[in-house]
Amino acid sequence: MNAHPDSRDHLASAPALTSAVRAGVRRISLSAFRSYDTLKLEVGDGPVVLAGANGSGKTNLLEAISFLAPGRGLRGARLTGVTHALPTGLPGVKPWAVAAEVYTPEGDVRMGTGLAPEGGEKRVVHVDGAAVRGQAVLARHFGLVWLTPAMDRLFLEAPAARRKFLDRLIIAFDPDHAGRTAAFDRAYRQRARLFRDAVKDGVWYASLEDTMARYGVAIAAARRDMINRLNAALVDARGPFPGARLELQGAVDDWLVQMPAVDVEEKLRGALAQSRAARMAEDGASEPGPHRSDLVAVFAMPGHDSHGQAAEQCSTGEQKALLIAILLAQARLQKIQRGFAPVLLLDEIAAHLDRQRRQALFSEILALGAQAWMTGTDEGVFADLGPSAQVFAIRRNSLVPSPRNPPP
């Protein structure tokens, strides 16, 4: 597969990849994950293309890589739901596992994760052979962000999906955000359980509400900081991709504009206590917090018909271009802040982009020095990457490398 002749100058303008400061996956192995019984793959540090028919296992491989970050992967699946189905008649369930050797600015790191042997919705994590508590440590070594076809409707879905998208961008940028969101969610669930069980212990509630206030304001502040940084990076349209104006809408977000964070904590504590009292009196009450916030976006591309239009009113193609622009802006910010770009998982990313936008996307990936894993049914749409890409054909959950692949 050769690059189109008229694309060479375009991509040649991107700065050459440098090995000084980068992070990515060097080797990955899967066991009992989705459609894969086992798989081992070694790649270099350039873009990786996975080409194959629908149902061949491309997205499953990206999902496995996404478990090298905190959370439930790019599909948000239940941990027990990704286990490879054993042939009928075979007893037991083999816990899934994903292991990888990643390269980072601090050196190579071996990390692994999977379903706990005892089963249930429990995930175990190992780094350099040692068990670690919690998943946040994964994000401290390198960042992962992704776009999937399911996210094309992000601006049309419920606010929870947009919060998760923004939190993923922050975790890749600021690994400690994973711990903050986990702590808030844990306290939120425990408080909800007290309500379900009709517990009347005010001290117990107050302790959980204190935790929710402290972590909730920290979450909101991190989101606000990320939005401010992204807006600065998106102030001008970048080539064929639009700019954007992003905003957080929510009570806590408004309070952070009006007063210091310590005062917002106290205000949120009081609001949670008030909502608790109303709930116990069966009066009902709104309950502010970062779990109520929403991310809104406005398409910004002067001269374009959709300039100034809310994202949810834009066409599907415009919304996808907007998401790509936000993802690339985050990657540029991370490279400045952390010294290396995140690993990008881009599922079916090129199929619905015109050639100008494909070339711009590929050029940006090369300029960032980012390891991008991209999937598609048509290998030809990645032709403009030329010899920079490592291309693998996926056939029934097995990978066949292109003969022109550079050695890893």
Side-chain angles (χ1 to χ4, degrees), residues 152 314-321:
D152 288 352
C314 294
S315 70
T316 301
E318 289 167 345
Q319 290 182 30
K320 184 155 193 170

Side-chain angles (χ1 to χ4, degrees), residues 235-316:
V235 67
D236 296 315
R238 195 174 180 90
F241 291 109
R245 294 196 305 274
L246 307 177
E247 181 184 348
L248 282 168
Q249 294 182 347
V252 177
D253 308 297
D254 293 341
W255 296 343
L256 279 171
V257 177
Q258 301 163 7
M259 63 188 80
V262 65
D263 294 335
V264 178
E265 278 188 31
E266 190 59 35
K267 191 173 180 68
L268 181 54
R269 245 181 239 105
L272 290 170
Q274 184 178 5
S275 71
R276 181 219 316 167
R279 187 166 178 173
M280 286 182 169
E282 298 184 353
D283 288 340
S286 60
E287 186 176 71
H291 58 302
R292 302 296 186 197
S293 298
D294 193 10
L295 169 67
V296 296
V298 173
F299 192 96
M301 199 173 198
H304 193 282
D305 290 344
S306 296
H307 176 66
Q309 192 163 270
E312 64 268 22
Q313 297 173 347
C314 294
S315 70
T316 301

Side-chain angles (χ1 to χ4, degrees), residues 34 63 67 72 75-83 96 120-121:
R34 292 283 190 188
E63 183 183 22
F67 274 101
R72 293 182 176 270
R75 284 188 173 110
R78 290 177 58 84
L79 298 180
T80 51
V82 302
T83 300
W96 63 267
E121 288 292 307

Side-chain angles (χ1 to χ4, degrees), residues 129-151:
V132 297
R133 184 177 178 180
Q135 304 167 25
V137 66
L138 296 171
R140 295 194 180 103
H141 293 292
F142 73 145
L144 271 168
V145 293
W146 53 74
L147 282 179
T148 69
M151 295 168 67

Side-chain angles (χ1 to χ4, degrees), residues 328-387:
L328 292 175
Q330 189 277 349
R332 293 193 298 271
L333 289 170
Q334 180 179 316
K335 186 164 186 179
I336 293 170
Q337 177 72 22
R338 300 188 69 184
F340 57 89
V343 174
L344 306 175
L345 306 180
L346 306 175
D347 194 20
E348 298 291 347
I349 192 64
H352 302 295
L353 296 178
D354 60 34
R355 189 168 178 208
Q356 183 187 19
R357 281 181 171 160
R358 285 202 306 268
Q359 288 181 334
L361 172 63
F362 298 158
S363 181
E364 184 88 4
I365 288 170
L366 294 177
L368 283 166
Q371 187 186 59
W373 294 69
M374 295 172 279
T375 70
T377 55
D378 179 8
E379 183 179 325
V381 299
F382 301 99
D384 288 331
L385 281 167

